[in-house]
Amino acid sequence: MRSSRRHPLLVPALLSVLVVLAARPAAADGDGDGADLDISAQVAKLYEDASVATGQYEAGRQDAEAQRGRAERAEGRLVQERQEISVLHEDLGRIVRAQYRQGGGLPYTAQILFAKDPDGLMRGQQAVRRADLAVAGAVARSRRAEGRLAVDEAKARAAWQALERRTEDLAAIKRTIEARLDEARSALQSRADASVAAGSCRGAVRLDQPRTAFTSAWVAPVETYELSAGFGSGGEHWAHRHTGQDFAVPIGTPVRAVGAGRVVKVSCGGAFGIEVVIEHPGGYYTQYAHLAAAAVDQGQRVSTGEWIGQSGTSGNSTGPHLHFEVRVTPEMGSAIDPVPWLAEHGVVV
């Protein structure tokens, strides 16, 4: 059974990011470890730039939703105003019909002409004035309402047109993001596969760490994820039982140290592909496997939430995900169920 947990990405909204993405040169193959490291860093930076663009896309999408709400409210006002105009027209019709009914079928001017005495004449004149005022008032109200309706109809059309343009812009941004992310992930994973095939790590990729101060001592290993294969699961891909918890995430997703500790292993070969193992106080170890890149060196101290690598699908993996283990020794075969262990440390996944 799959479950999911969503968290917002920690990225700034920069309008110029698409220009940066379009201007950045494609990573080219080079000779030597120095060139490989430089290319890996470029790919990591491209992924971060695409994440920024994703943040901008989300901000734009929220603006578009707000614009949609304004347009829908304008449509609601138009409906109400049309109903009011219909009522005003009905009132005007009733006033005109009442003139004839009250005059015995004759217009008020005819009543004045046929008046038999001064009092009758005065009554006729007053009735004409009252009728004229009523008709004039009804006509004025109707015209004012129709004027408001015309203005609001123009505003509503402009609102929907703005929303349509914004939607088209967002679609273009989204296509650019997807294309650049595909390019970045492909390049990142191809480097990881080459490292695993060679059984040798190219060195740590230095990622710009997020400016986040965690108030808790422990966090989830990735920020946005879906849980897939759990601890103890059976399947043809494992010799015995699954020894960790899988977090389904796209290639290139930053992987975090769940707690403070020391890196005791960085490996780039075997079934786990690129992996990092961290020793934590209290005698526990955490493993992060099937990475596309490692961002730490063996012996390095790390803090809670520090980015230690990027997720991938290296080694014996059927798709992009992070394989996360909790162990009582640094080596495989000593794993315990990581989900309750994380829960004991205040992290619910």
Side-chain angles (χ1 to χ4, degrees), residues 86-211:
S86 177
V87 171
L88 290 173
H89 287 174
E90 291 176 0
D91 288 343
L92 181 57
R94 282 196 297 269
I95 291 171
V96 172
R97 289 192 298 271
Q99 290 181 357
Y100 285 89
R101 285 197 301 270
Q102 293 173 3
L106 293 175
Y108 280 115
T109 52
Q111 295 181 50
I112 294 173
L113 292 175
F114 292 109
K116 296 180 180 180
D117 54 51
D119 289 341
L121 179 62
M122 292 296 297
R123 286 195 299 273
Q125 290 176 336
Q126 292 172 357
V128 168
R129 284 197 295 271
R130 287 197 300 271
D132 287 344
L133 289 173
V135 171
V139 170
R141 288 193 299 273
S142 179
R143 286 177 176 172
R144 286 196 298 270
E146 289 171 350
R148 288 194 303 269
L149 177 62
V151 171
D152 287 341
E153 282 178 336
K155 289 181 179 179
R157 282 195 301 271
W160 284 114
Q161 289 169 356
L163 176 60
E164 184 176 353
R165 289 192 298 270
R166 186 59 178 158
T167 301
E168 292 173 353
D169 291 343
L170 289 175
I173 292 173
K174 191 172 187 295
R175 287 193 296 270
T176 301
I177 294 170
E178 291 172 346
R180 291 295 181 175
L181 275 177
D182 287 343
E183 177 185 345
R185 288 165 178 162
S186 177
L188 190 63
Q189 188 58 48
S190 66
R191 289 294 173 190
D193 293 339
S195 295
V196 172
S200 175
C201 296
R202 287 185 165 86
V205 175
R206 299 307 173 188
L207 302 176
D208 293 335
Q209 295 295 323
R211 297 177 182 177

Side-chain angles (χ1 to χ4, degrees), residues 54-331:
T54 300
Q56 180 59 34
Y57 171 80
E58 284 300 309
R61 185 185 59 78
Q62 292 172 7
D63 288 343
E65 287 301 313
Q67 181 64 44
R68 181 182 298 277
R70 290 191 290 270
E72 289 175 348
R73 287 192 294 274
E75 287 289 346
R77 286 195 298 272
L78 292 180
V79 171
Q80 183 177 357
E81 288 170 359
R82 291 188 183 104
Q83 292 173 345
E84 292 174 355
I85 290 173
S86 177
V87 171
L88 290 173
H89 287 174
E90 291 176 0
D91 288 343
L92 181 57
R94 282 196 297 269
I95 291 171
V96 172
R97 289 192 298 271
Q99 290 181 357
Y100 285 89
R101 285 197 301 270
Q102 293 173 3
L106 293 175
Y108 280 115
T109 52
Q111 295 181 50
I112 294 173
L113 292 175
F114 292 109
K116 296 180 180 180
D117 54 51
D119 289 341
L121 179 62
M122 292 296 297
R123 286 195 299 273
Q125 290 176 336
Q126 292 172 357
V128 168
R129 284 197 295 271
R130 287 197 300 271
D132 287 344
L133 289 173
V135 171
V139 170
R141 288 193 299 273
S142 179
R143 286 177 176 172
R144 286 196 298 270
E146 289 171 350
R148 288 194 303 269
L149 177 62
V151 171
D152 287 341
E153 282 178 336
K155 289 181 179 179
R157 282 195 301 271
W160 284 114
Q161 289 169 356
L163 176 60
E164 184 176 353
R165 289 192 298 270
R166 186 59 178 158
T167 301
E168 292 173 353
D169 291 343
L170 289 175
I173 292 173
K174 191 172 187 295
R175 287 193 296 270
T176 301
I177 294 170
E178 291 172 346
R180 291 295 181 175
L181 275 177
D182 287 343
E183 177 185 345
R185 288 165 178 162
S186 177
L188 190 63
Q189 188 58 48
S190 66
R191 289 294 173 190
D193 293 339
S195 295
V196 172
S200 175
C201 296
R202 287 185 165 86
V205 175
R206 299 307 173 188
L207 302 176
D208 293 335
Q209 295 295 323
R211 297 177 182 177
T212 303
F214 291 99
T215 57
S216 57
W218 302 90
V219 296
V222 284
E223 187 175 10
T224 303
Y225 55 83
E226 287 187 3
L227 297 180
S228 49
F231 181 81
S233 301
E236 60 184 21
H237 304 294
W238 308 296
H240 301 288
R241 290 285 179 175
H242 193 229
T243 55
Q245 174 62 59
D246 287 350
F247 293 78
V249 289
I251 294 171
T253 301
V255 174
R256 310 186 295 193
V258 297
R262 182 176 64 89
V263 178
V264 297
K265 182 180 182 181
V266 178
S267 175
C268 296
F272 286 120
I274 299 176
E275 63 171 318
V276 172
V277 179
I278 299 175
E279 179 184 14
H280 302 281
Y284 288 99
Y285 299 79
T286 53
Q287 181 214 29
Y288 312 78
H290 303 310
L291 302 177
V296 291
D297 294 311
Q298 190 165 319
Q300 180 179 332
R301 292 280 177 180
V302 295
S303 58
T304 300
E306 183 175 339
W307 288 353
I308 60 172
Q310 291 170 286
S311 65
T313 182
S314 60
N316 183 18
S317 170
T318 58
H321 72 282
L322 169 69
H323 175 86
F324 175 73
E325 286 191 18
V326 175
R327 300 171 174 175
V328 295
T329 75
E331 305 301 329

